[in-house]
Amino acid sequence: MKTASVLMLFGRIIKPKESASSNARKSLIGAIACIALSLVPLVVVLTVSDGMIEGITGRLIGLSSFHMQVTQTTAYKTTEENFAILRDVAEKTMEVPGVTATFIERSGSVLAAGKKGRSGAALRAVEESFFTKNEAFKQYVDIIDGTASFPTENSAVIGKKIAETIGLGVGDTIRIISGKTGADGKVVPKVKTFKVAGIVSSGYQEIDALWVFIPIDTGFSFLASAASQIFIGVETTDAFSDDLYRVVQDIYQFLPSEFDIYTWKDLNSAQYENYATTRILLVFIMVLIVLVASVNISSALVMLVLERRKETAILKSLGASPAGISAAYLLTGAASGAVGTMIGLPLGLVCALNINEIMKFCENFVNVIGRFVYIISAGTEYIPVHLLDPAFYLEEIPVTVPFPELFLIAVAAVVLSAVVSIVPAVHAGREKPLNILRKV
């Protein structure tokens, strides 16, 4: 059976006479729709999860752990001596190929008090260059109010969440309560007040909910050695490059013995692996949905084969080969998958690119219904529903379109549609024309 004959039969299968009515063909159209609809959540999950993981990881690496931390394990007796050693290490680190920036920091956990009450806080004593030279800060952090700087030595820049929790705004006073060990060995409270110069947000409360930034000099004099950590945050050209370990080895060559190095993978490996595993699980579930949808094509082709038994018998009586007939039905299944893919992928991309607007619409709709039900039930206070709680997710979902992976999905959907069409196609090729014509 020639290729032209196979294509002609394929054309008759997918586009019969206008007067012909076929339930099997309606089932095939439904199967195509199922393929298209099943691809939409797969594309959305793949696109949104990639963007979410990239956004969260970028914030974790750039704003919290840095690409690596050169950590001081033993503090020196005087602040001046400490600073001199830290600055010397930071300057030598900047000379290492691949290093783009270094930031000296001293951080610790404290208690912050404001107008509405108290809250635990992550106190970070940093140089002002952290706000201006840190690429991650410039990319991910929004200045909600005021300025990200230290006009005076008693200025503070705080996170949006902690500002809301303890009721502070720009110009207000925040009290920081830490502890120090007295001469008698007892721990006594140590209190210092700061004026809020700015309020910032990274869009991810898991990182910035407890942020309180103060000047590095003030932090060294205020924070006790036993309750704080001293390190140099190091930024490189690429945190995911294998060259990161080469940079670590180069820094170790001149690093004093009281320092150690931890990469972002050492500090965030568990969290990063958790994100990657969750993504794989979600994609796997979506692939199963596509697999189930593709089975509909097999069912529709079985109906087509049964419906067109008479035509198949006549073609085989005229010399059509079993392989040619099977090829026509196999081509029908693959074409059905291709059409569903061409519909589903663009639709999924449209949904993914507008996911933030869709989520806001759904959230507003749910809250409108919730308030209505709450009013009817005579409730006292309605708590708005957040589909993506900013305490655990990014406030604005970044969208990253993985074109290579989408191409693989398209190819896989077509191949899968062809695979599930093998059984009915082979069955059509094996039909016995004599037995069929006897029943006509």
Side-chain angles (χ1 to χ4, degrees), residues 199-385:
I199 298 174
V200 298
S201 172
S202 70
Y204 183 46
Q205 290 183 14
E206 186 77 11
I207 293 178
D208 65 25
L210 303 178
W211 270 356
V212 176
F213 293 99
I214 61 173
I216 186 74
D217 295 330
T218 306
F220 263 83
S221 60
F222 177 71
L223 285 169
S225 299
S228 63
Q229 179 188 23
I230 302 172
F231 62 89
I232 300 171
V234 180
E235 297 287 298
T236 63
T237 52
D238 185 4
F240 297 91
S241 172
D242 293 336
D243 195 49
L244 188 69
Y245 296 98
R246 191 269 308 162
V247 174
V248 171
Q249 295 303 318
D250 288 348
I251 296 175
Y252 264 126
Q253 292 181 7
F254 60 81
L255 202 62
S257 59
E258 63 272 13
F259 284 84
D260 207 347
I261 302 176
Y262 299 93
T263 67
W264 70 269
K265 292 182 180 179
D266 299 326
L267 300 169
N268 302 309
S269 59
Q271 198 164 8
Y272 185 73
E273 289 298 327
N274 181 47
Y275 294 146
T277 303
T278 302
R279 175 185 179 274
I280 292 172
L281 181 61
L282 287 173
V283 172
F284 176 71
I285 293 172
M286 295 301 108
V287 169
L288 289 180
I289 295 175
V290 176
L291 178 61
V292 172
S294 66
V295 174
N296 292 326
I297 292 181
S298 180
S299 302
L301 282 181
V302 170
M303 295 180 64
L304 270 175
V305 170
L306 294 174
E307 197 175 73
R308 303 181 69 88
R309 294 181 72 191
K310 179 181 177 181
E311 183 177 341
T312 301
I314 294 172
L315 287 173
K316 294 191 75 173
S317 300
L318 295 174
S321 66
I325 292 175
S326 296
Y329 281 99
L330 192 64
L331 192 58
T332 301
S336 301
V339 172
T341 301
M342 287 189 291
I343 296 173
L345 278 183
L347 188 59
L349 279 174
V350 170
C351 293
L353 293 173
N354 295 279
I355 189 65
N356 288 297
E357 289 73 16
I358 293 173
M359 293 299 295
K360 288 177 183 177
F361 173 80
C362 293
E363 187 175 290
N364 292 334
F365 179 77
V366 170
N367 283 320
V368 167
I369 300 298
R371 286 191 180 93
F372 178 73
V373 173
Y374 203 75
I375 291 173
I376 293 178
S377 61
T380 56
E381 184 181 359
Y382 175 74
I383 301 176
V385 174

Side-chain angles (χ1 to χ4, degrees), residues 27 48 191 231 292 297 300 306 357 397-398 401 408-409 422 436:
S27 297
V48 171
V191 183
F231 62 89
V292 172
I297 292 181
L306 294 174
E357 289 73 16
I397 301 174
V401 181
L408 290 177
I409 289 173
I422 291 176
I436 297 171

